[in-house]
Amino acid sequence: MYLTTLDPITRDFDRLVRRAFGPASFGTAFAPALPMDTVRRDGELVLRFDVPGIDPEKIDVTVDRGVLTVSATREETRTEGESPVVRERLFGSFTRRVRLSENLDADAIEASNHDGVLEIRIPVREEAKPRKIEVGTAKELAS
């Protein structure tokens, strides 16, 4: 296992609250964690977060004691004289925390933002990469 998302109890509770009360309860919109996809490719783990409409200056990526934290803030933009009729887009602060395995090189993390997708690349440590094991004969092992 390369990473673990944190706080599954809160995630499940939030899902139940959304299901019971709908996306807008008590006059405030629910702000879910940043959606994330994770893939492994060419000796690295790649995390992709949806961050459409978020100014790159408002995205913060940190790693501390094996926990990667991605925070972003989307601010509402209104021009004078506008009054909302329908509001489905979410605004505010969003955070996602992921516990990284010791098999990942947290010192070599790289991040880029393109077309509303934040991509974080974390190399797999050399000793954790798959390797081929030579199969010998019983005679070779005895000598």
Side-chain angles (χ1 to χ4, degrees):
M1 186 71 143
Y2 289 107
L3 53 93
T4 306
T5 58
L6 297 178
D7 209 3
I9 294 170
T10 300
R11 183 188 65 231
D12 291 341
F13 177 76
D14 289 340
R15 182 178 48 79
L16 291 171
V17 168
R18 277 196 318 274
R19 189 177 286 170
F21 298 106
S25 49
F26 309 109
T28 60
F30 173 77
L34 293 165
M36 175 183 74
D37 290 338
T38 305
V39 297
R40 182 171 178 181
R41 100 178 152 207
D42 300 329
E44 67 182 0
L45 201 65
V46 180
L47 286 67
R48 294 184 185 116
F49 297 88
D50 284 343
V51 290
I54 297 177
D55 180 359
E57 297 290 320
K58 301 284 185 174
I59 299 173
D60 188 35
V61 179
T62 60
V63 65
D64 183 26
R65 290 183 233 144
V67 176
L68 176 80
T69 303
V70 177
S71 300
T73 302
R74 180 182 298 130
E75 296 176 353
E76 182 178 15
T77 56
R78 273 201 233 172
T79 57
E80 195 172 321
E82 286 184 342
S83 60
V85 176
V86 176
R87 295 186 67 181
E88 294 179 352
R89 297 174 57 221
L90 299 176
F91 300 96
S93 297
F94 309 89
T95 300
R96 184 75 180 256
R97 288 183 182 86
V98 179
R99 183 173 304 283
L100 303 177
S101 162
E102 292 177 3
N103 294 329
L104 299 173
D105 188 356
D107 294 330
I109 293 176
E110 295 179 355
S112 62
N113 184 2
H114 183 68
D115 291 337
V117 177
L118 173 66
E119 184 174 278
I120 299 175
R121 293 169 306 286
I122 311 169
V124 175
R125 292 188 187 277
E126 237 4 87
E127 58 271 14
K129 290 181 181 177
R131 57 188 165 84
K132 183 169 177 73
I133 306 297
E134 291 292 327
V135 179
T137 62
K139 281 185 182 178
E140 292 173 346
L141 294 175
S143 53

